[in-house]
Each structure stands twice: as C-alpha cells, then as structure tokens.
Amino acid sequence: MPSCVLAYSGGLDTSVILGWLQDEGYDVHAVYVDLGQPCEDRQAILQKAKDCGAVSSRIVDGREEMCRDFAFPVLQWQAKYESIYLLGTSIARPLISKLCLQVAKEVGADAYAHGATGKGNDQCRFQLAAEALDPTVQVIAPWRIKKFRDAFPGRTELIAYCNEKNIPVKASTAKPYSSDENCLHISYEAGELEDLNVNGVELVDFGMTVSPQEAPDKPETVTIKVEKGVPTHVNGEKCTALEVVTKLNEIGGRNGIGRIDMVENRFVGMKSRGVYEAPGMTILYDALLNVEQLTLDRDLIHLRDQLKPIVAEDVYNGFWYNAKMDAMLAFIHNAMQKCTGEVTLQLYKGNVIVASRSSEFSLYDEGIATMEGGGSYNQDDAEGFLRIQGLPSRVQGRVTPRAY
C-alpha cells in the first residue's frame, strides 16, 4: 500500500484530507509542525490523528529554526511584501515542507500531502520548496484534484464528512473568517473579510494584540541589542531567537503594535484581502533599522534597499530554496558584519518611537555632522564637489535650454 506524509494541523481541512487519503488507499503519516501556533492540546491532536487512522503521528518542533534561520535573515533584508506584509506565513511554509520531507525519508513515504487550496499562495510555497529539496517528490494537493473538489465543494460538505466519520472538529459553517497562526504572526482572511466594506480590524478577534485604543495610556520602553544584524538581548537579557520573538510579542501585544489590513497581489494572479498582526517582528524591524542607520555604509544600504523587494517577492512566492536566494542570504550575512548596537524604543498605542541608539561601530560623527561652527568638515570642499556634479547639467542646459 502506498504511503504519504501529511502536513497535519488537526483542523477541518486536514482532518478531512486524512480520511480521504485513506479512502484513496494511502497509509498516512501525520506530521504536526509546531511553529508556536496556539493550540489547546498538542497531544490531543496527535491522538486524534491516530484515532482517525493515521499509521503514525508526531510533533516536530520548528519554532527556533523558523525564527533563527528563516525569519531573522528576512528581517535583516528589511523585506516586506508590497511594502507592508512581514511575510509571517510565507516564511513558515518552506520549513514545513523541509520537516515533512525529513519525516517522509525516515518512514519511507511515497508522497507528501498538504491542505493548501488551488487558489492561494501556500500551494506554491509548499510545492516549490519540496521540489527544490527532493526533485523526485510526489506532492498530493487534494484541493487541486477534481474528484476531491466534487466531493467537498464547501465547508458544509467537509463538516458533514467529519460527522459521518466521527471525526471531531471545532468548525462551523458560520465562522466569519479563517486564520493561520505561528509565533511570528497571525493572519486572517476569507469569509466576511472578502467584503472590502467590512472594517477588518473591528471584525477580527485578534489573538496577539490589544487594539491601540485599548493599549495603556503610558509609553512602555524596551531595549534591544543587535549583534551582526541578529537580535540577541531584550531589556538586557540574552535570548535565543525564539525567546526574542516571544518576549517582544508579549510586550508589543499589550501596546497594540503590529496590526495591518491590506489588499495584496497573490502569486497566482488575484488580489486578496488579508488582516495581519505581528507585534514582535514589527518591533524588530524598527529596532534593526535604527542600528543599520548608524553602522551601515550609505552605498551598501542603498543597494540592499534596491534588492529587498526582490527578496520579499521570492519569499512570498515560495522561492526560498534556490540559487538566487542562496546568493541573497550570503550577501546580507556579509553586509551585517558591523551591524551591532543597542536601541531603546518607546511603544505607545500602536506606535514605535525611537528613544536612543548606540553602537561601537557607529559611522555617525557629530564633529562632521554638526551645524555649529567649527568641526572637521570643511565647507569650502563643497564648492568643487558641486561644480563637478553639476557639469552634465550645465552642458545639457546650453545645448537644450529649459523653459522657466
């Protein structure tokens, strides 16, 4: 009998897919990848998979690896998809594929299955990562199989199947939106959020943040230390990557930091509406930016900023394991070697305000930058600099005069 590894959450879709794969003749190994998503009882999820016929089920902890090896390099790029989205779901998917394929290799599975739909981005991220890691992999995406869609055209049929098979699920046909969670963020989409006239931040019951209006009336101060572009300390305490994110989620969450509502362009071509919250990562983007401003050379940081939309787009689309991304990650690792320092931020009702910053590698020289008299900058030098810079414009102005 053929076997497959299923990226299993225990939710409605993957619960049905677990049963359907068995109906199709597969032995199924259920893998719950722990990325810090809130869950009442992980052991209950494992037991549920076994009770529903999985030949094996396990939890694989990917939290630290996701923060350290995936999210933090993207943070160093200051990469935001379409200038706003911090890629919290996008960056998790290639790691899920990697961990599931490791299990598939261990158990000798013939295929890798997931519950992503044929309309979304996650199918791209799962499959492109899997094929890059194992070019021979067989990916089973039931939502792209007509037989499956015919059997389950909507949530009503999914729920009915679970009732028929005595599969316990916490789902109803009246849920106003869907969500995806990990320790980096929570995303909300679909359902009533597909109506752009609905106020997303009022509809959503956020899981990580209070609203800015309900946040404390007094600013909270947080100090973050960065070493070679990697956040290492929060308020003087040395932390792992996961601990940094977890602590800042708590601090940022109670101050209403990191909520966004956007209409984005999916890789498959359609526009979709998403609401996101990422309190810890929002703080880290601001903190690292302030250290960069002190320590990174102008031309280097400008080059990084020209390339960062490319990185954001490739992460969003699912091209994490490829030659271009390898080169981009090598570049940013080198670029961050002197990006070390400390920044103190004030958090107030959804806002992140810099209070102070310092670095042993600071390129800021007050003696050069001062607007007061004296200093080490000779303003006479600017005369020749501007005559040379203006030479092409003067020549063009004589040949092709401009009206004014």
Side-chain angles (χ1 to χ4, degrees), residues 211-270:
S211 72
Q213 296 89 335
E214 295 173 351
D217 294 328
K218 182 180 179 180
E220 180 172 357
T221 297
V222 61
T223 299
I224 299 166
K225 183 177 180 181
V226 173
E227 297 177 2
K228 295 185 178 181
V230 178
T232 58
H233 293 71
V234 177
N235 290 333
E237 182 179 349
K238 186 170 178 59
C239 301
T240 66
L242 176 60
E243 289 169 346
V244 168
V245 173
T246 301
K247 287 178 183 292
L248 292 178
N249 278 340
E250 181 180 347
I251 295 169
R254 62 177 174 247
N255 287 283
I257 306 297
R259 294 182 175 187
I260 64 169
D261 181 343
M262 69 180 293
V263 174
E264 66 200 59
N265 291 292
R266 287 183 179 172
F267 188 25
V268 294
M270 70 185 72

Side-chain angles (χ1 to χ4, degrees), residues 334-352:
N334 183 279
M336 289 284 154
Q337 289 306 297
K338 298 299 182 183
C339 188
T340 294
E342 191 170 86
V343 58
T344 297
L345 303 170
Q346 288 185 331
L347 312 179
Y348 181 66
K349 293 188 177 295
N351 296 288
V352 181

Side-chain angles (χ1 to χ4, degrees), residues 157-195:
E157 290 77 14
L158 293 170
I159 294 169
Y161 179 87
C162 291
N163 291 335
E164 177 188 342
K165 298 279 189 176
N166 294 316
I167 300 171
V169 289
K170 295 179 180 179
S172 73
T173 55
K175 187 179 179 183
Y177 52 81
S178 65
S179 61
D180 182 80
E181 307 175 355
N182 60 45
C183 62
L184 303 175
H185 87 155
I186 304 178
S187 65
Y188 308 89
E189 63 178 5
E192 292 183 19
L193 288 173
E194 292 173 354
D195 181 355

Side-chain angles (χ1 to χ4, degrees), residues 373-394:
S376 57
Y377 180 85
N378 185 348
Q379 296 188 53
D380 291 347
D381 294 342
E383 184 66 36
F385 170 78
L386 283 170
R387 291 295 294 172
I388 294 298
Q389 291 293 316
L391 176 59
S393 296
R394 293 197 301 275

Side-chain angles (χ1 to χ4, degrees), residues 85-228:
Y85 170 42
L86 300 186
L87 299 161
T89 295
S90 311
I91 198 57
R93 299 324 195 195
L95 176 58
I96 292 172
S97 283
K98 172 189 171 184
L99 296 175
C100 285
L101 288 184
Q102 288 175 345
V103 175
K105 184 186 296 185
E106 177 187 333
V107 301
D110 303 290
Y112 163 45
H114 62 75
T117 74
K119 284 188 174 182
N121 298 303
D122 283 337
Q123 59 171 337
C124 309
R125 299 160 184 158
F126 284 133
Q127 183 153 342
L128 292 170
E131 290 184 347
L133 294 171
D134 179 3
T136 67
V137 69
Q138 177 191 355
V139 176
I140 301 175
W143 284 112
R144 298 204 303 263
I145 299 173
K146 186 175 186 301
K147 180 179 179 181
F148 182 87
R149 293 197 309 274
D150 287 344
F152 306 105
R155 289 175 65 82
T156 300
E157 290 77 14
L158 293 170
I159 294 169
Y161 179 87
C162 291
N163 291 335
E164 177 188 342
K165 298 279 189 176
N166 294 316
I167 300 171
V169 289
K170 295 179 180 179
S172 73
T173 55
K175 187 179 179 183
Y177 52 81
S178 65
S179 61
D180 182 80
E181 307 175 355
N182 60 45
C183 62
L184 303 175
H185 87 155
I186 304 178
S187 65
Y188 308 89
E189 63 178 5
E192 292 183 19
L193 288 173
E194 292 173 354
D195 181 355
L196 298 184
N197 292 313
V198 170
N199 186 316
V201 296
E202 291 181 356
L203 172 69
V204 166
D205 182 15
F206 287 95
M208 300 175 82
T209 58
V210 302
S211 72
Q213 296 89 335
E214 295 173 351
D217 294 328
K218 182 180 179 180
E220 180 172 357
T221 297
V222 61
T223 299
I224 299 166
K225 183 177 180 181
V226 173
E227 297 177 2
K228 295 185 178 181

